[in-house]
Structure formats: structure tokens, C-alpha cells
């Protein structure tokens, strides 16, 4: 049966979640404080580059010809307060000054929504928060909600990946329901009736476990990436090949091949801050082993970026000042225009700060940086370059015809930091290809 659902915060997570809720048959109102984002979404357009999101918005946004009219967006909390059965919180929890998650936006949602709630409802957190937050939010709601019926907090973390946000929202790997009452679980099962009917596993748990599951999932993925990057260093030191090593590990079903791609390490709006926040929370709670482990994961990750910048300088004979360097990729990963904590941009900026004349090209992301020259094409980025760095593995870069660029660059030398280019094709065309962690003989 169709429910009335509000989704508060409509950036990457919220926009995809709101559209998915409409696709599941519910009536949905998305709320955001940014009026321009609301206007964009109400026109059926996505405020971010995300494959498949616009068609889904157009399918459901009210007023668009042929749509189901189930979805609309507003800046006005009064439109949702007594209307929705379930309020999803999808606002950001960026990294605060001390490394812990900054909960300003989550708290502000609660302070704005709670005084307006005069009927029973669920307030469902999707944002990543430090363990213990949901309980504190419940106490705050209990103190300020005027409703005599209970407004209950549920934690239902989101695991969607940027560039796959729609698919991950419609077909999640699992649904985690951290709740305090059987009635809340029942209502959440109605929210997700469609994926549950398609056999998506449901994990019912308490609030703290739900909060920890999200932090643990991202930290585990980050640990896998840092592990393989540390093994890449071993391969470099010993002369082995990390790509073959990862393939072999991946065939062990207990390990799995995913998140074992060595390269520049992890970036983006989630993994880095979630690892940091869990490390800080673990230290606060006296779990030093976990904060130490995650500290190593972060250190390895940061080291990958520095190592590639150092390698670039070394390949230029030790002095990068005034030398033209081309960087392919600025987004933190392919398929998105997001550059938050982007490994590619960190390396590009580092090289520019060391005096390099750095030109960056990315198919989607804006470079927007006084230090760097934003090229409009691969050809423009590569013009007269003495060194090319492949830093974000867009398919477009894998498809490049290396021979076409021989006459464009000053020196056909490329560092493939993501280990994704076909080295034999590039070498055959006359390029020198450097792939840290890969054996020259394979
Ligand atoms: C991540 C989680 O996957 C998702 O479940 C959570 O909800 C949000 O955080 P996302 O930030 O979109 O999603 O990025 P993801 O696709 O997981 O990649 C994270 C980073 O790791 C990227 O910078 C990527 O380039 C890097 N990565 C990934 C590797 O370096 N090697 C790999 O093998 C996999």
C-alpha cells in the first residue's frame, strides 16, 4: 500500500532516494533549503551528474507530461510535517574540524521538523552518523515534539554508490532497519515492500548496530583498498605484479575481487570522512585497536597520492618547475562529476604547487582551480606535455588511440596511476608506460 513519504535533503543521496521511493509506489515530497535545487528537481532535472536519475525524475515528478505525479519538491517544511507517515533524513554529515562527523545539518532538520509534528510518524535517518547519534535525536524529539503520539527514530543507512545511485536505491544489496519497536519495523517493511518482495535481505537491529553497520561497511571497503595498495608497494619492492595478485585473491570467494583495484586509493564524499569519523569515535570510546587500524588505512591512502606525485617528479628528472604535465581525470572516480577529496585533483594540485605547468582534463568534473589549467579536451591537455598522468579511469581514456597523440605531446611518457590502460597497446604505439606495482614482464 502506498505511503506518504518526505525526503529531507535532496543532494546525491536524497534525490536518488526520493525518486526510488516514488518508483516503489509511494507519494513523495522532497524538501531542501536550497531553492535552486528544488526548482531544478521540480523541472525533472538532476542537480548532479548521475546516470539514470533524470529519467526516473521525469517519470514521477508532478506536472511533467505523462508522469505519475507522485513526486514533488519544496522548501517548505509545513507541507510535509503533518502529511508524511515517514520522514527520511538525507542531509550531509561532512567532516568536522576534529575529524568527527559534523552533525549541524541533521540537528537543524530535527529542530525545524520536530515543533511541526502533531501526528505520529517515523523519523528515519539515512545519513552516516557517529554511533549514539540516533538515540540523542530521539531524546531531542521527545523533548520538543508537540504530538501526544510517539514520533520514533529509525536508522536505515544508505549504501548507494555515486554513479550507481539509482540502481543501488532500487535494488539494494540489503536493507538495514535499526528500530525501537515492532510497529516501526512493520512500517519500514511497508516502505520497502517491493525490494523485500524481490528477496532483498533485511537486517533488523537496534539503533546503534544500524549506525555501526554503515560506518563498518565503508571502513571495510577502505581497508580492502589500502590493503591492496600496500601489496602494490610490496610488488614494487619485490618485482611482483599487483593486478595478477588481486585476480588470484579475488577467486577466493571468502575474499572477492571487488575493491581490490590498486592505484591512487579512495576519495569522494564518503569513504575518507567515514573512515576518519569511525577512527575518532573508536578513540573516544577507548577502542584503540580500531582507531589504530583505520589510522593505517588512512596513512596508506594518503601515501598513494604522494607517491604518484613523487614518481611524476622523478620521471621528469627530479625537477618539475615550469614543466608541462597533462592530467587525465579530476573526478574522484569515473561516472561522476564529484571532486570531493579527489585523489586525482590532490596529485594535480601537488604537482602544480611544486611548480609544474599542469593541465587537467575530465569528461564531467569541473576543475575550477586557479592553480590548474582546465583543458577542454584530451588533446588540449596533452599539447606539448612532457609527462601524462592517468589519474581517474574514465572509459573515454581507456578507449584513447595512443598513436593519435604521439605528435601532440612533447614526450610520449604516461604514468597510469589507476593501472587500467592497455600497456601493450600504448607501448606498441611508441609510448613509455609506467604502472606502479605492475611487473614490466607481464
Ligand atoms: C561509497 C560506498 O561504496 C557506498 O556504499 C557508500 O554509501 C558511499 O561511499 P562512493 O563514495 O560512491 O560510495 O564510492 P565507491 O564507488 O565506493 O569508490 C570509493 C573510492 O574508492 C573511489 O575513489 C574509487 O576510485 C576507490 N576505489 C574503489 C579504489 O581505489 N579501488 C577499488 O578497488 C575500488
Amino acid at each position: 500500500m502506498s505511503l506518504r513519504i518526505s525526503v529531507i535533503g535532496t543532494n546525491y543521496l536524497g534525490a536518488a532516494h526520493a525518486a526510488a521511493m516514488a518508483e516503489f509506489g509511494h507519494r513523495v515530497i522532497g524538501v531542501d533549503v536550497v531553492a535552486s535545487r528544488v526548482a531544478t528537481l521540480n523541472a525533472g532535472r538532476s542537480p548532479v551528474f548521475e546516470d539514470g536519475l533524470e529519467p526516473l525524475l521525469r517519470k514521477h515528478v508532478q506536472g511533467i507530461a505523462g508522469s505519475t505525479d507522485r513526486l514533488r519538491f519544496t522548501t517548505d517544511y509545513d507541507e510535509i510535517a503533518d502529511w508524511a507517515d515517514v520522514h527520511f533524513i538525507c542531509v550531509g554529515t561532512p567532516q568536522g574540524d576534529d575529524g568527527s562527523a559534523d552533525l549541524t545539518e541533521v540537528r537543524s532538520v530535527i529542530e525545524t521538523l520536530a515543533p511541526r509534528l502533531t501526528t505520529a510518524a517515523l523519523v528515519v535517518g539515512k545519513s552516516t552518523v557517529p554511533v549514539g547519534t540516533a538515540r540523542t535525536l530521539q531524546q531531542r524529539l521527545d523533548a520538543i515534539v508537540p504530538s501526544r503520539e510517539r514520533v520514533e527514530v529509525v536508522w536505515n543507512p544508505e549504501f548507494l554508490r555515486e554513479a550507481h545511485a539509482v540502481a543501488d536505491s532500487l535494488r539494494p544489496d540489503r536493507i538495514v532497519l535499526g528500530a525501537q519497536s515492532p510497529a516501526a519495523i512493520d512500517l519500514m517493511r511497508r516502505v520497502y515492500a517491493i525490494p523485500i518482495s524481490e528477496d532483498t535481505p533485511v537486517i533488523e537491529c537496534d539503533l546503534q548496530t544500524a549506525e555501526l553497520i554503515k560506518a563498518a561497511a565503508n571502513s571495510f571497503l577502505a581497508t580492502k583498498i589500502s590493503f591492496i595498495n600496500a601489496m602494490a608497494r610490496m610488488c614494487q619492492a619485490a618485482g611482483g605484479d599487483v593486478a595478477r595478485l588481486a585476480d588470484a585473491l579475488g577467486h577466493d570467494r571468502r575474499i572477492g575481487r571487488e575493491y581490490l583495484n590498486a592505484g591512487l586509493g579512495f576519495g569522494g564524499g564518503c569513504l575518507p570522512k567515514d573512515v576518519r569519523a569511525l577512527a575518532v569515535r573508536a578513540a573516544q570510546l577507548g577502542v584503540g585497536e580500531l582507531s589504530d587500524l583505520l589510522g593505517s588505512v588512512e596513512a596508506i591512502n594518503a601515501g598513494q597520492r604522494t607517491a604518484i606525485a613523487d614518481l611524476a617528479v622523478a620521471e621528469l628528472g627530479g625537477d618539475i618547475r615550469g614543466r608541462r604535465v597533462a592530467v587525465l581525470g579530476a573526478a574522484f572516480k569515473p561516472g561522476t562529476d564529484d571532486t570531493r577529496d579527489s585523489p586525482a585533483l590532490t596529485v594535480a594540485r601537488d604537482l602544480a604547487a611544486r611548480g609544474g605547468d599542469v593541465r587537467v582534463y575530465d569528461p564531467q568534473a569541473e576543475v575550477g582551480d586557479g592553480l590548474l589549467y582546465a583543458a577542454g579536451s584530451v588533446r588540449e591537455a596533452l599539447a606539448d606535455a612532457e609527462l601524462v598522468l592517468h589519474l581517474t579511469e574514465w572509459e573515454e581514456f581507456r578507449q584513447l588511440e595512443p598513436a593519435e597523440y604521439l605528435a601532440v605531446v612533447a614526450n610520449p611518457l604516461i604514468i597510469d596511476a589507476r593501472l587500467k590502460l592497455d600497456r601493450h597497446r600504448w607501448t606498441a604505439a611508441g609510448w613509455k608506460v609506467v604502472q606502479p606495482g605492475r611487473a614490466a614482464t607481464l
Side-chain angles (χ1 to χ4, degrees), residues 159-162 218 225 259-261 265-267 270 332-333:
F159 302 97
L160 58 84
R161 297 159 299 165
E162 287 176 28
N218 274 357
I225 297 169
Y259 286 78
L260 284 183
N261 292 321
F266 57 85
C270 290
F332 82 95
K333 67 173 186 180

Side-chain angles (χ1 to χ4, degrees), residues 37-48:
R37 192 179 291 151
V38 165
T40 303
L41 287 160
N42 273 331
R45 282 185 282 115
S46 168
V48 291

Side-chain angles (χ1 to χ4, degrees), residues 128 158-164 168 174 214 217-218 221 225 228-229 257-272 274 301 332-334 341 343 393 418:
T128 308
E158 190 60 73
F159 302 97
L160 58 84
R161 297 159 299 165
E162 287 176 28
H164 305 273
D168 287 351
R174 75 296 213 186
K214 176 62 198 273
N218 274 357
L221 294 173
I225 297 169
I228 201 66
N229 281 329
R257 179 64 180 80
E258 286 187 75
Y259 286 78
L260 284 183
N261 292 321
L264 257 191
F266 57 85
C270 290
L271 256 51
D274 290 352
N301 198 50
F332 82 95
K333 67 173 186 180
D341 204 345
E393 68 276 30
R418 293 287 184 177

